[in-house]
Amino acid sequence: MDELIHVPGEEDGGPVAMGPGVRKISLALLLLGALVILGTTAMDTLFPAPVVKPIGQEARDLMQAKLQQNPWDGSLASGWETHLKARSRVRRSLAPFWSAFVMKVLNTVPADLVAGQDGWLFLRDRIQPPAATRDRGIRLMGQTGAAIQRRLARMGSAVTFIPVPRKAVACAEKLPRGMKSDPEYDAGIVQALRERGVTLLDVTRAWEDVPAEGRYLRRDTHWAFGGEKALARSIAETYPELVTHETKLWLQEAPTAAPALLLDFAAIQRDHPAVDWINGDVSIRPYLRPREVLKRMKKLPTDVDVAVVGSSFTRNFAFAELVAVALGRVVYPGGIAGTPFGGSLAYFAGKFSGRRFPSRVLYEFPIHQAFQIGAGSHSAQQSLAAFFTGTTEAGTLPLPVDLLGPFTFAEKPRRGGKVLFPEGTLLSSGDGVLQLRIKTWGDDSTEWQLRSTGALQYWVLGPGEHEVLLPVIQSLPDGSEVGIVAAQGAAPTATVTVTVEVDADLEHAVEIPLEPSGDHGLQGASEAVSVGLHDVVTIQWTGSPEEIDVLIRGVTPDGVEREVRATFREPVSKICVLSLTPFEAGEITAVEVQGAIGEVRAFLAPQLSD
Amino acid sequence: MLLTSYVFLYVFLPAFLAAYYLAPRAWRSWIIALFSYVFYGWWRPDFVLLMWVSTLVDYSCGKGIVRDRRRERSGKRFVLLSCLSNLGLLAYFKYANFGVETLNGILASMGHDQVSWTAVVLPVGISFYTFQTLSYTVDVYRGDAEPASSFRDFACYVSMFPQLVAGPIVRYRSVAEQLRTRTHSLEKAAIGALIFQAGMAKKVLLADTFAIAADAGFGADSLSVLEAWVAALSYTFQIYFDFSGYSDMAIGLGLLIGFRFPVNFNRPYISRSITEFWRRWHISLSSFLRDYLYVPLGGNRKGAVRTYVNLALTMLLGGLWHGAAWTFIAWGAYQGFWLILERLSGKRSLFGGLPAFAQNLLTFVLVVFGWVFFRADSMGDAFRMMGAMVGASSGAGAGLFIEWTPMQTLAMIAAPIVVWGFRTTQEQAAAPRAWWMMVVFLLFLVSLMHLHRAANVPFLYFQF
């Protein structure tokens, strides 16, 4: 039989009985232990700590998680545990002291964080992009950016993307020695946007003369005052035409305790005394003066021409105010905290729905948000869907039905809520140049998904008739399957009709003559052809080729050579539509088509005018 | 529910102890069973049904054996039924995924279609309680244990939450008497609390600290020789402090309600041979395997060759018991290999001619290599790690020391002192000294603080 634990005083066990002194101490410790446990229980039950209310996406995620909790998979129990822990007053009062001690003296932080040099903290999951979706993320950001730009252009806004480098890249010298942060990823995002012709501001360049302490806050996930200020200055330098000084604005700068959001991850809440001991950094909080202007800005001015849209970097800091001062004009501050990529754009589109959009939108987003795009994150896709659905006022025209092949669903309603465009049907540059006008009729609320290789967009429609316009954003291979599916299984009472549309004026397209070149090739644009910013090229054919390669070469107005390339295997449709946005309204110098069979024609179509 | 979770420490445990001590003595076993079902079903209530099935079947089997005996029948059919039900549950929940994966691998290599299969979720602790209930039936059949006097006692025995999910494996006969009558005293509770606190400190302050380097090292693609050793040593200490920490907590909780559970660890890393190691490591499992597998297979009674075969089989199955993966089988085979080699050399240490400390050091190195199989995600990873340890496939390094903290250095210094320099928790508890008690209590407070600052890390043995 197994040997049982020996305890002093037990009949068959203890080799040594407890002496009176030891007995007293053991009983005292038992009492103390019980007091610690029961005291905590009593304190936390009678005086629970107030609930920390999450905001923005966090609040939505929490609500979603709560709705999905059930007792059978542990999620309900896990939710209770989190709740109990979060409301523990003892924990929230005492743990920060220990956590601060461990952090300061033993340089030890919880697994979510990385302790860098000089007390810098980094979020671990933002230091390296997820390997599995890294390249896909870069590619899709280029295409998504182009789609957003096209859509805003149709709404009358020129957008400038402001991709803020990750803290681990912008302040790489503060990472632990030897730790890598994949700066090529951030550069790749910028490059991908540029190659798609997306207008952007190079934050890295704007921050060249700003030290690490000025770029990001030491113990927070956001930028520091110096970085914001340099960026606002850079905007004014890049867009001198926006600088008006129509309004006399200035900033009143006040020193304040620097935000230290990352300490939350180490259980040190922001109002705890341990924060002062561990942090102690001072930051500048600028206040826009005169005060009335700030109030006016926040009340959505009717005549605003510049909007600063962005994440918590804009919402929780003074970026919009700094831009206003740099430009000398009122701007619309459209920052939303806790939203994924596209979330603030969706909110902005909602705010300006039915009104004139500002002519320039400065869209700030931290580059780590591209991780979500690459991973097909539900919340990011939901935000993008909300943005595109919120800007359906932009006009589009249906593609000629006879060119779409046998899978044309226009005017072909199907019951059951599912429409599929198989591989080879929707042939485009995958950056929103093709759009799907989706009409639904239902007796009840229905939930829908647009599924493609680049997007999983999700939207909910109430009973009745609805219409949404969603761009087709695809990663490679181009022309892969796209489906519109009822999210909650079959939707027997819903009917859906989908029309494939393009945001270009095909009726006024100009043909680019194609001449034979090589064995199976065709070449066009022997003389340079000027293009507008969001023009498109369509290639049409009559045969059934195995594969079509299209290459369009051109230059931007600055003389930078660019190309648009697409390959479609076993195309079903007889038309492909390629965006010319990358040429930034420069010139096409060559069009090459390989593999097309039958009568092959190329057209240059201008963007639809209002 | 995790023993280190907020809900256990501050809600479940006080409520349980209050209910237990306020209840009349006759109800206390029911209180244990009831709270144990809540404890076990906290994350997956449906899994409690499995435990009820196991409890009902084996309780009935015990009764059936007694009834058969009265009718001068052997009762073997009930042992078979118990084996079928317990091992069937284990086979389905623990090994079905592995079986299908292996089959699909074979089918794929032969160019056939794969079998479609929905992965089965492993109920926590099933390996432990099925072994316990099985041992009950076998012991009753062998006449080594009296059948349970009441269903209440048996349900309490099977479900007892302190050791339910990660051992020690408690045999019915070890606690049969205690189930009926057990003593409660403040001294016993005080010692129990201290053992519980010591276990918690081991887990939270040492095991979880070692987990950082172990996880990073075993997850890396390329390691330098030094990194490989640090990762392997980190895991060696992690698994010891994690598992022995849990055992201490279980034993401590047992004492709080008057139970004395078996000792599960006895300074395993001071062993001078693998044979000795297995007398000191997870003692309740090794004695279980000895009594219910090795001996029934014939043990050493059927000649030298059969002895070695039995030894190998026992260790292979012991490895497989830990998890459904080739790495665990390899770990079992590795342990079996050294046990056979030591038996061949006359049940002595292979390093018998060397000084004691060298024997201990070399045995420890063998154990460390063994843990590489145990921890690695695949055989390929295991061989890569071992290759890196001997310098054969070491690479540029994974930057394991980039985030090395003073806390990890402290753990690396403290671990050998605790392992080689201190008496075990149970030895300390048998003759407690004031300084030990006060240090343990202080470490318990630090552990609570440490737990509060971050998410809970599950015990390693929960997955087995």
Side-chain angles (χ1 to χ4, degrees):
Chain A
M1 202 161 80
D2 293 331
E3 182 198 359
L4 301 180
I5 182 93
H6 294 292
V7 184
E10 281 286 299
E11 311 75 43
D12 60 343
V16 182
M18 258 196 249
V22 171
R23 183 177 178 277
K24 273 184 193 163
I25 291 171
S26 73
L27 294 183
L29 291 177
L30 176 67
L31 186 68
L32 265 177
L35 278 176
V36 167
I37 298 292
L38 292 175
T40 304
T41 307
M43 193 74 172
D44 290 351
T45 309
L46 298 174
F47 309 104
V51 179
V52 179
K53 277 195 177 165
I55 53 162
Q57 191 57 40
E58 269 183 356
R60 282 191 287 279
D61 288 348
L62 198 70
M63 182 58 73
Q64 189 70 19
K66 267 190 177 168
L67 288 174
Q68 288 171 353
Q69 277 175 359
N70 78 70
W72 304 107
D73 63 0
S75 55
L76 185 65
S78 174
W80 282 341
E81 287 188 32
T82 308
H83 177 75
L84 283 172
K85 213 171 164 178
R87 299 213 64 186
S88 165
R89 185 171 291 277
V90 173
R91 173 179 172 266
R92 277 174 51 182
S93 307
L94 296 181
F97 291 116
W98 173 251
S99 193
F101 170 78
V102 169
M103 193 184 291
K104 200 151 186 168
V105 179
L106 298 175
N107 200 32
T108 300
V109 291
D112 289 337
L113 298 178
V114 167
Q117 297 180 51
D118 307 324
W120 278 67
L121 293 177
F122 297 84
L123 263 187
R124 183 174 299 279
D125 63 6
R126 289 185 187 172
I127 290 180
Q128 285 286 341
T133 55
R134 179 190 186 278
D135 295 341
R136 179 185 148 87
I138 291 175
R139 225 168 27 235
L140 279 176
M141 269 306 289
Q143 286 164 229
T144 307
I148 291 171
Q149 181 164 296
R150 288 187 76 84
R151 182 57 73 87
L152 280 174
R154 297 292 303 117
M155 303 301 292
S157 288
V159 61
T160 300
F161 280 68
I162 304 174
V164 184
R166 290 172 292 140
K167 185 177 182 180
V169 172
C171 308
E173 67 269 36
K174 297 297 182 186
L175 282 171
R177 267 185 205 89
M179 184 170 276
K180 306 262 188 314
S181 58
D182 194 0
E184 296 79 14
Y185 179 82
D186 293 39
I189 293 286
V190 169
Q191 183 66 13
L193 287 167
R194 244 187 210 135
E195 281 175 2
R196 288 284 177 172
V198 175
T199 308
L200 59 87
L201 198 82
D202 191 342
V203 180
T204 309
R205 188 167 295 168
W207 281 358
E208 263 169 4
D209 297 328
V210 182
E213 288 78 5
R215 296 174 186 173
Y216 267 92
L217 294 161
R218 203 156 62 116
R219 294 197 169 91
D220 199 274
T221 50
H222 297 97
W223 53 22
F225 181 63
E228 285 181 275
K229 204 170 180 176
L231 206 52
R233 204 166 42 235
S234 173
I235 290 168
E237 285 164 11
T238 310
Y239 300 108
E241 70 277 14
L242 296 180
V243 182
T244 61
H245 294 299
E246 63 187 15
T247 313
K248 174 87 178 134
L249 297 170
W250 70 95
L251 290 170
Q252 187 182 329
E253 297 179 5
T256 179
L261 194 68
L262 286 171
L263 295 180
D264 271 7
F265 287 80
I268 307 173
Q269 281 78 31
R270 59 200 76 173
D271 53 350
H272 196 276
V275 172
D276 294 336
W277 182 58
I278 192 84
N279 190 30
D281 289 359
V282 174
S283 166
I284 301 292
R285 171 73 210 185
Y287 295 93
L288 189 68
R289 296 289 180 262
R291 230 182 271 263
E292 299 74 45
V293 177
L294 187 62
K295 280 185 192 159
R296 208 177 116 209
M297 276 168 57
K298 287 185 175 168
K299 274 188 182 167
L300 189 59
T302 49
D303 55 344
V304 70
D305 269 330
V306 178
V308 181
V309 178
S311 63
S312 51
F313 281 64
T314 298
R315 176 70 182 84
N316 297 348
F317 292 80
F319 184 50
E321 288 96 314
L322 284 163
V323 172
V325 171
L327 300 180
R329 68 193 303 163
V330 166
V331 302
Y332 168 68
I336 301 290
T339 52
F341 182 81
S344 53
L345 278 174
Y347 183 78
F348 160 76
K351 275 276 179 194
F352 281 85
S353 177
R355 309 167 55 143
R356 183 179 67 81
F357 272 46
S359 56
R360 173 65 60 179
V361 174
L362 301 165
Y363 177 46
E364 160 274 307
F365 71 96
I367 284 184
H368 70 81
Q369 288 189 343
F371 296 177
Q372 301 167 328
I373 297 287
S377 138
H378 178 72
S379 53
Q381 301 289 357
Q382 208 168 358
S383 291
L384 285 170
F387 166 70
F388 287 113
T389 304
T391 49
T392 47
E393 295 157 36
T396 48
L397 286 176
L399 269 186
V401 171
D402 58 327
L403 295 174
L404 271 173
F407 299 99
T408 307
F409 292 97
E411 307 306 321
K412 282 188 181 179
R414 269 195 172 191
R415 293 187 73 80
K418 183 178 179 182
V419 172
L420 197 67
F421 292 88
E423 204 165 329
T425 316
L426 298 180
L427 309 180
S428 76
S429 39
D431 52 1
V433 69
L434 283 191
Q435 298 170 36
L436 300 177
R437 187 175 294 278
I438 304 155
K439 290 181 184 170
T440 56
W441 296 267
D443 297 333
D444 299 313
S445 288
T446 45
E447 298 177 28
W448 301 90
Q449 285 179 352
L450 166 72
R451 295 178 187 167
S452 73
T453 55
L456 176 72
Q457 294 179 3
Y458 174 91
W459 67 102
V460 182
L461 299 173
E465 185 179 333
H466 295 279
E467 188 174 284
V468 292
L469 190 66
L470 293 178
V472 176
I473 298 165
Q474 289 189 318
S475 68
L476 298 175
D478 293 337
S480 54
E481 183 179 284
V482 174
I484 291 107
V485 184
Q488 299 290 338
T493 59
T495 302
V496 58
T497 306
V498 182
T499 317
V500 183
E501 301 194 346
V502 60
D503 60 357
D505 188 356
L506 297 189
E507 287 172 10
H508 294 97
V510 179
E511 184 158 8
I512 304 170
L514 295 173
E515 304 290 335
S517 166
D519 289 343
H520 305 288
L522 294 160
Q523 201 159 10
S526 51
E527 286 178 18
V529 180
S530 294
V531 295
L533 182 57
H534 296 300
D535 290 357
V536 302
V537 158
T538 65
I539 309 288
Q540 299 171 23
W541 58 91
T542 54
S544 300
E546 284 181 6
E547 182 174 299
I548 290 180
D549 286 307
V550 182
L551 175 65
I552 305 168
R553 292 181 205 279
V555 288
T556 67
D558 300 334
V560 179
E561 290 187 2
R562 292 255 167 87
E563 60 181 42
V564 170
R565 184 189 284 271
T567 300
F568 304 108
R569 291 178 198 92
E570 298 180 10
V572 176
S573 296
K574 307 294 182 194
I575 186 170
C576 71
V577 186
L578 304 175
S579 151
L580 298 184
T581 308
F583 301 124
E584 297 174 16
E587 292 175 338
I588 296 178
T589 53
V591 176
E592 293 171 29
V593 182
Q594 296 284 330
I597 297 174
E599 188 190 348
V600 184
R601 301 174 75 183
F603 294 92
L604 172 66
Q607 192 181 27
L608 275 171
S609 55
D610 295 327
Chain B
M1 201 181 287
L2 292 175
L3 295 187
T4 51
S5 65
Y6 179 92
V7 72
F8 177 81
L9 289 168
Y10 300 111
V11 181
F12 182 90
L13 188 59
F16 165 71
L17 289 175
Y20 181 83
Y21 280 106
L22 290 174
R25 278 179 184 266
W27 293 10
R28 284 180 176 174
S29 291
W30 278 125
I31 295 284
I32 294 173
L34 191 71
F35 273 83
S36 296
Y37 295 138
V38 173
F39 177 90
Y40 189 67
W42 182 246
W43 283 338
R44 285 293 301 258
D46 48 340
F47 285 163
V48 178
L49 287 174
L50 289 177
M51 189 189 288
W52 286 346
V53 168
S54 194
T55 308
L56 277 171
V57 167
D58 284 276
Y59 180 72
S60 308
C61 284
K63 290 279 177 209
I65 291 167
V66 174
R67 224 173 18 248
D68 269 9
R69 288 266 162 77
R70 280 197 213 115
R71 295 170 190 163
E72 296 189 352
R73 290 163 72 175
S74 71
K76 205 173 197 168
R77 56 192 178 137
F78 290 107
V79 179
L80 279 174
L81 177 64
S82 171
C83 284
L84 274 176
S85 65
N86 284 302
L87 298 180
L89 280 179
L90 205 54
Y92 177 71
F93 283 102
K94 192 158 182 174
Y95 302 108
N97 294 340
F98 177 59
V100 174
E101 271 170 33
T102 308
L103 178 68
N104 278 339
I106 295 167
L107 289 173
S109 67
M110 292 165 67
H112 295 299
D113 289 341
Q114 300 195 355
V115 178
S116 67
W117 173 256
T118 309
V120 180
V121 179
L122 176 70
V124 172
I126 193 169
S127 312
F128 288 90
Y129 72 74
T130 50
F131 265 32
Q132 289 195 172
T133 50
L134 188 59
S135 77
Y136 164 75
T137 316
V138 173
D139 282 356
V140 171
Y141 173 74
R142 285 175 178 171
D144 291 339
E146 289 294 313
S149 53
S150 71
F151 183 73
R152 176 200 63 189
D153 285 355
F154 190 69
C156 172
Y157 160 69
V158 177
S159 64
M160 212 183 305
F161 74 85
Q163 46 74 244
L164 174 66
V165 285
I169 299 168
V170 180
R171 298 193 213 176
Y172 181 76
R173 58 182 151 141
S174 301
V175 290
E177 182 59 31
Q178 300 181 57
L179 284 164
R180 280 189 294 274
T181 167
R182 54 187 173 274
T183 56
H184 300 87
S185 68
L186 277 175
E187 290 82 358
K188 205 170 175 179
I191 294 298
L194 282 166
I195 295 176
F196 177 83
Q197 292 161 2
M200 192 159 125
K202 278 185 186 177
K203 157 72 182 160
V204 175
L205 300 179
L206 290 172
D208 292 353
T209 303
F210 281 115
I212 300 166
D215 291 348
F218 278 89
D221 295 329
S222 159
L223 291 167
S224 67
V225 176
L226 182 63
E227 285 177 334
W229 273 100
V230 167
L233 278 172
S234 293
Y235 187 66
T236 302
F237 288 126
Q238 183 200 352
I239 194 164
Y240 172 64
F241 289 119
D242 192 284
F243 193 19
S244 74
Y246 183 89
S247 289
D248 286 349
M249 292 175 86
I251 290 168
L253 285 171
L255 284 172
L256 279 171
I257 49 173
F259 280 97
R260 289 170 56 225
F261 290 152
V263 171
N264 214 19
F265 290 88
N266 185 15
R267 303 173 77 192
Y269 291 154
I270 66 164
S271 305
R272 295 180 202 170
S273 68
I274 296 294
T275 310
E276 186 186 351
F277 174 77
W278 276 102
R279 285 194 204 113
R280 292 174 177 273
W281 177 270
H282 201 172
I283 299 165
S284 63
L285 174 69
S286 47
S287 67
F288 183 96
L289 292 174
R290 181 194 64 212
D291 295 346
Y292 299 98
L293 191 58
Y294 178 70
V295 171
L297 282 170
N300 59 0
R301 304 184 308 275
K302 295 193 174 175
V305 176
R306 270 298 294 274
T307 302
Y308 301 135
V309 170
N310 292 341
L311 209 48
L313 255 176
T314 303
M315 293 317 291
L316 275 176
L317 290 171
L320 193 61
W321 175 85
H322 281 88
W326 290 107
T327 46
F328 290 114
I329 297 173
W331 175 74
Y334 175 86
Q335 299 292 337
F337 171 77
W338 291 111
L339 287 175
I340 290 169
L341 221 58
E342 284 178 356
R343 198 168 266 268
L344 280 168
S345 65
K347 264 192 161 179
R348 285 173 44 238
S349 169
L350 293 171
F351 318 111
L354 298 172
F357 86 92
Q359 289 181 39
N360 178 206
L361 181 69
L362 290 168
T363 303
F364 181 69
V365 169
L366 291 183
V367 171
V368 172
F369 271 94
W371 289 133
V372 173
F373 281 119
F374 199 85
R375 172 62 178 82
D377 291 332
S378 67
M379 290 300 287
D381 285 354
F383 287 127
R384 254 197 305 282
M385 173 63 86
M386 288 182 187
M389 286 166 76
V390 298
S393 63
S394 53
L400 203 63
F401 303 114
I402 286 175
E403 287 189 76
W404 192 265
T405 63
M407 184 117 177
Q408 285 171 287
T409 307
L410 275 179
M412 270 290 180
I413 294 168
I417 295 173
V418 174
V419 165
W420 281 281
F422 281 7
R423 294 186 298 159
T424 60
T425 314
Q426 61 265 20
E427 284 167 342
Q428 301 275 13
R433 281 175 285 187
W435 70 265
W436 175 78
M437 294 191 290
M438 286 192 276
V439 167
V440 165
F441 188 74
L442 193 68
L443 291 175
F444 167 65
L445 294 181
V446 171
S447 305
L448 285 180
M449 286 291 142
H450 212 66
L451 271 178
H452 281 323
R453 79 185 242 289
N456 287 104
V457 182
F459 288 92
L460 286 177
Y461 256 68
F462 272 31
Q463 60 193 294
F464 302 136

